[in-house]
Amino acid sequence: MLLWIATFLLAIALIIALMVLARERTTHSQIVQRLEESRDRRKRKALNYNLKLRAVSETSGAAIVMVDTLGTVVHANTTAEEMFDIAEGEMVGRPLIQCTLSNDLVQFALETAKRGKKACRDLAMPGPGPRILRVSVFVFEVGLSGKKEVLLVIVDITELRRLETIRRDFVANVSHELRTPLTSIRAMAETLQDGAMDNKEVADRFLETIIRESDRLTRISEDLLVLADATSNAPDKEDFELATLINLVLDRLRPMAKERQVVLEAHLLGHIPVRANQDQIDQVLSNLVDNAIKYTSPGGKVFVEAKIEPDTIAVFVRDTGIGILEEDLPRIFERFYRVDKARSRASGGTGLGLSIVKNVIEAHGGEVTVASEFNHGSTFGFTLPKVTS
Amino acid sequence: MQVTRNQYDNELEELRNMVLTMGSEADKALDLAMQALTQRNVDLAEQVIQNDDVLDQLDLDIESHCIRILALQQPIARDLRLVGTAMKIVTDLERIGDHSVDIAKVARKLAGSDGHGPLADFPKMASEVRTMLHKSLEAFVKHDLSLVEEVVDADDKVDRMYRMIREDLHRTMQSSSSLVVEGSYLLFVAHYLERTADHSVNIAERVYFMETGVLTQLAKSHKANS
Ligand SMILES: Nc1ncnc2c1ncn2[C@@H]1O[C@H](COP(=O)(O)OP(=O)(O)O)[C@@H](O)[C@H]1O
Ligand SMILES: [Mg+2]
């Protein structure tokens, strides 16, 4: 009996022990499982974070490079590899100087790292052509170790600088172009005041110059306004008949052609519908035909042609004039550029005509062309998109 | 053993970095000197003249680094060629620095005078020369022999530019006696640029040697060993 009881108790104890053990096991495995899940989650998060970082780094448009405090690259995006012409994946692990060949850049990064602040500087790079990079440096600590890493965000601002220079030059040019007539107006007026007024012949001549120079100022300011409008606003388009407009312009310039003994002819298709800013196209045509007449000697000929081509409408203004040297061809569309300043001035030119032509036509989605043979003549052409009805 | 091997590698890597650092400084000196000349900027000229100490110091540092490697590590084959090449390249870079100082001194002289001779082709020639220097250093770091070839080809172009600039300057000097002084200074500048191109070819040649173990005179006219 006692034995039975003992056996029974033992069995119960065993069962309990087994149950406890089993429970222990399940909690253990549960914990392990939970831990594993959590680790997976963290891993995924980290992965996501890395992916996000990479996405930001790849799409930011700037070159992004991370270096350690010794100047060894630990991360570089595609833009950086392209900027420094390094094969894919070849930047990481390399010293920054080997990637950029610029000691200025390396020193700037390492000095900023030492000071521990952020900084930005424009640096000239070695190699072909002038190249200016705007380099922003940020320093931060990685993890808890206090180890520092340096983040470089680099943007190529060469083109920006070039545009700035162009703008500065333009302002300088404008003030120079305005000052010349103003100076001569003032000088003439002063001379008149000092007594030249009493000499009728001199006075007449001076007054004539004053009027001519003020007309010149007016023309320059008008041309500048047209140019500003063409470069800053999309053209206000309307439908009109190009042949009619060309004939209008030719009629207006015929007296001038006659005076200079230049024959003015046109060959136009009857019906050329266009959609464009009529005032601006009027200006373009006037400038081109005016030039053609101006830069052609007496006895010469100016010929205007308009035709419908497969994809575009094309207008050509041909002359048998003085022509343009090849070395001047790329420059004549620049603002205020004139091959022969004296000749242009004498005939009332501002040097803005062709740059108006170029800007207006390009704003309309067309193209300007020029072909010229020195001493034989020039052909200026432009296209406009065809009207699709 | 592992440790020494690593240290050895690090020292070679450091040597490469030092050479490139000096190359970058030499290029900057040339760039600033030409800017000083074209903009008649005395401050820039002074900056180049003063900065030459940096190049001289780098020259010394690199040479002693090379000697330390030779003495302590006894490099062989490729590594030995790297060390030898570095020592040679540094001499060429040091000369380029000297020529930049020479140009800066001309710039300083001319900044005072108000004669405006033709400068048109100098920026072009200088840009071509800087491209050669850049490519030779790029060849050094990228082990790229096609760049070596490009440097040698560009040298012919620079020689042609040199001849044209010289003829131009002679013509100007003959046509106007007031430009003779300025013209003769500019003749020197053209000469310094041409020498700098030769030094760049030297560097490219050394890179070729480092990569292939073959020592050749790639350029027909090998004049820059002065
Ligand atoms: N048809 C042409 N034949 C010869 N030269 C021309 C012609 N059209 C323009 N040019 C040259 O291009 C320069 C710029 O033209 P433009 O911008 O219209 O200025 P301008 O006010 O001097 O006419 C002119 O000064 C002239 O030297
Ligand atoms: Mg005109």
Side-chain angles (χ1 to χ4, degrees):
Chain A
M1 185 62 195
L2 207 72
L3 195 71
W4 270 109
I5 291 172
T7 317
F8 183 67
L9 280 176
L10 195 72
I12 288 182
L14 250 173
I15 287 168
I16 290 175
L18 273 175
M19 273 169 66
V20 167
L21 249 172
R23 249 193 79 169
E24 280 280 270
R25 266 260 270 290
T26 52
T27 31
H28 254 144
S29 68
Q30 266 171 6
I31 288 172
V32 168
Q33 195 188 342
R34 294 250 294 278
L35 275 176
E36 265 171 4
E37 275 171 17
S38 139
R39 203 179 55 212
D40 279 355
R41 240 192 345 267
R42 273 179 295 138
K43 232 189 196 160
R44 265 203 309 278
K45 249 190 186 161
L47 209 64
N48 268 337
Y49 183 65
N50 273 341
L51 280 177
K52 257 187 222 158
L53 257 188
R54 181 162 310 162
V56 169
S57 164
E58 285 302 327
T59 54
S60 71
I64 294 179
V65 182
M66 271 167 79
V67 296
D68 61 21
T69 42
L70 295 174
T72 306
V73 176
V74 294
H75 169 85
N77 68 354
T78 316
T79 314
E81 290 168 348
E82 281 163 4
M83 184 176 279
F84 299 111
D85 193 20
I86 307 270
E88 200 185 326
E90 290 285 304
M91 276 182 83
V92 173
R94 279 211 184 192
L96 194 57
I97 183 78
Q98 293 191 11
C99 303
T100 64
L101 301 184
S102 164
N103 191 37
D104 282 354
L105 181 59
V106 175
Q107 290 310 319
F108 179 48
L110 296 187
E111 273 162 24
T112 312
K114 226 177 265 162
R115 269 183 282 115
K117 292 196 188 123
K118 63 178 186 191
C120 180
R121 199 180 283 174
D122 295 349
L123 299 173
M125 287 296 113
R131 188 155 82 127
I132 317 253
L133 301 184
R134 176 159 295 168
V135 185
S136 307
V137 180
F138 306 86
V139 186
F140 53 90
E141 286 177 8
V142 222
L144 301 170
S145 61
K147 212 178 95 195
K148 279 189 199 160
E149 257 174 27
V150 190
L151 173 70
L152 305 170
V153 179
I154 309 172
V155 183
D156 192 330
I157 58 162
T158 315
E159 180 63 9
L160 200 73
R161 279 284 178 87
R162 201 182 63 84
L163 292 177
E164 266 171 22
T165 318
I166 289 178
R167 193 188 53 82
R168 241 199 335 268
D169 288 353
F170 179 60
V171 172
N173 277 338
V174 168
S175 70
H176 174 78
E177 295 288 334
L178 294 179
R179 206 158 36 224
T180 323
L182 278 174
T183 314
S184 82
I185 288 173
R186 203 199 143 81
M188 303 266 161
E190 251 173 20
T191 324
L192 286 172
Q193 198 179 38
D194 286 352
M197 207 130 67
D198 302 333
N199 182 337
K200 171 97 172 72
E201 200 185 313
V202 174
D204 277 352
R205 215 177 58 232
F206 279 19
L207 286 173
E208 215 171 86
T209 315
I210 288 177
I211 292 172
R212 202 176 56 234
E213 292 296 301
S214 7
D215 284 351
R216 182 173 166 70
L217 282 174
T218 312
R219 267 198 314 277
I220 293 177
S221 67
E222 278 169 2
D223 278 358
L224 281 174
L225 280 180
V226 175
L227 194 59
D229 189 40
T231 49
S232 51
N233 304 323
D236 261 335
K237 293 182 189 171
E238 56 186 316
D239 288 313
F240 63 92
E241 185 57 59
L242 185 63
T244 315
L245 180 66
I246 293 178
N247 278 321
L248 215 74
V249 170
L250 291 182
D251 287 343
R252 203 165 55 223
L253 289 169
R254 206 153 263 133
M256 173 184 168
K258 200 164 177 191
E259 190 188 318
R260 292 179 186 244
Q261 297 169 37
V262 173
V263 179
L264 194 51
E265 271 179 20
H267 182 271
L268 311 169
L269 239 81
H271 176 61
I272 310 172
V274 290
R275 182 173 301 148
N277 182 318
Q278 190 162 346
D279 289 342
Q280 289 185 349
I281 301 300
D282 185 327
Q283 187 91 41
V284 165
L285 287 163
S286 305
N287 287 352
L288 290 179
V289 178
D290 174 275
N291 279 350
I293 298 172
K294 246 171 31 184
Y295 301 111
T296 297
S297 316
K301 199 169 142 185
V302 172
F303 185 71
V304 182
E305 188 182 6
K307 46 187 172 182
I308 302 179
E309 297 195 327
D311 304 315
T312 55
I313 285 156
V315 179
F316 295 97
V317 179
R318 230 180 288 276
D319 65 59
T320 58
I322 60 174
I324 303 159
L325 282 175
E326 197 171 324
E327 62 206 56
D328 287 313
L329 272 184
R331 303 208 55 190
I332 54 173
F333 292 99
E334 287 173 21
R335 293 155 184 191
F336 296 119
Y337 187 81
R338 283 154 285 189
V339 177
D340 179 351
K341 274 215 150 149
R343 182 168 181 153
S344 162
R345 257 182 86 92
S347 48
T350 59
L352 290 170
L354 285 180
S355 76
I356 291 175
V357 169
K358 190 169 158 60
N359 280 292
V360 165
I361 294 304
E362 285 177 359
H364 278 82
E367 227 179 285
V368 181
T369 56
V370 56
S372 187
E373 203 181 327
F374 191 57
N375 272 334
H376 282 89
S378 320
T379 302
F380 285 83
F382 68 85
T383 59
L384 285 172
K386 236 166 147 174
V387 180
T388 47
S389 44
Chain B
M1 191 62 212
Q2 186 67 36
V3 174
T4 35
R5 185 75 221 162
N6 262 336
Q7 190 193 337
Y8 174 56
D9 283 345
N10 284 344
E11 292 206 350
L12 290 181
E13 189 76 345
E14 179 60 19
L15 176 59
R16 278 193 200 95
N17 296 347
M18 286 168 96
V19 168
L20 292 174
T21 302
M22 186 170 175
S24 166
E25 289 297 323
D27 172 79
K28 188 166 77 180
L30 181 59
D31 184 26
L32 291 181
M34 287 311 294
Q35 278 186 43
L37 184 75
T38 48
Q39 299 165 16
R40 314 238 158 191
N41 185 331
V42 186
D43 293 342
L44 277 182
E46 292 293 351
Q47 195 184 324
V48 175
I49 294 165
Q50 247 138 58
N51 223 38
D52 196 42
D53 291 349
V54 174
L55 279 170
D56 288 343
Q57 189 58 49
L58 275 166
D59 181 14
L60 287 178
D61 289 351
I62 294 172
E63 259 175 49
S64 60
H65 192 80
C66 286
I67 289 168
R68 200 171 55 238
I69 295 178
L70 288 176
L72 299 180
Q73 315 277 9
Q74 276 128 32
I76 49 162
R78 253 188 99 82
D79 294 348
L80 181 61
R81 291 208 298 273
L82 167 64
V83 176
T85 302
M87 286 177 88
K88 282 286 190 182
I89 289 182
V90 160
T91 319
D92 284 309
L93 289 176
E94 198 264 335
R95 301 290 297 146
I96 290 175
D98 286 348
H99 290 320
S100 303
V101 169
D102 293 336
I103 294 173
K105 284 182 178 161
V106 170
R108 194 169 59 182
K109 277 233 169 59
L110 293 184
S113 72
D114 42 22
H116 269 282
L119 267 174
D121 275 348
F122 275 101
K124 227 195 228 158
M125 183 173 175
S127 151
E128 195 64 43
V129 172
R130 281 185 65 210
T131 306
M132 286 173 69
L133 174 59
H134 186 71
K135 281 188 178 158
S136 66
L137 293 169
E138 228 182 331
F140 172 71
V141 64
K142 288 186 179 167
H143 315 281
D144 186 342
L145 292 182
S146 69
L147 286 168
V148 169
E149 241 172 275
E150 285 178 31
V151 173
V152 176
D153 287 346
D155 192 41
D156 291 342
K157 201 163 148 197
V158 168
D159 282 344
R160 273 200 302 281
M161 286 175 154
Y162 177 47
R163 267 198 302 280
M164 269 166 61
I165 286 184
R166 243 177 25 200
E167 282 163 17
D168 263 8
L169 286 172
H170 284 146
R171 257 198 305 281
T172 335
M173 283 155 75
Q174 274 159 10
S175 68
S176 159
S177 60
S178 66
L179 288 175
V180 168
V181 176
E182 183 176 330
S184 43
Y185 277 122
L186 291 180
L187 275 177
F188 275 111
V189 172
H191 174 69
Y192 299 140
L193 285 176
E194 192 260 350
R195 301 293 287 178
T196 302
D198 286 343
H199 286 295
S200 307
V201 175
N202 279 357
I203 295 174
E205 264 175 16
R206 287 288 151 184
V207 171
Y208 187 84
F209 167 66
M210 179 178 83
E211 293 302 323
T212 61
V214 179
L215 194 55
T216 53
Q217 288 201 349
L218 295 169
K220 285 163 284 358
S221 48
H222 190 78
K223 305 156 279 189
N225 273 334
S226 61

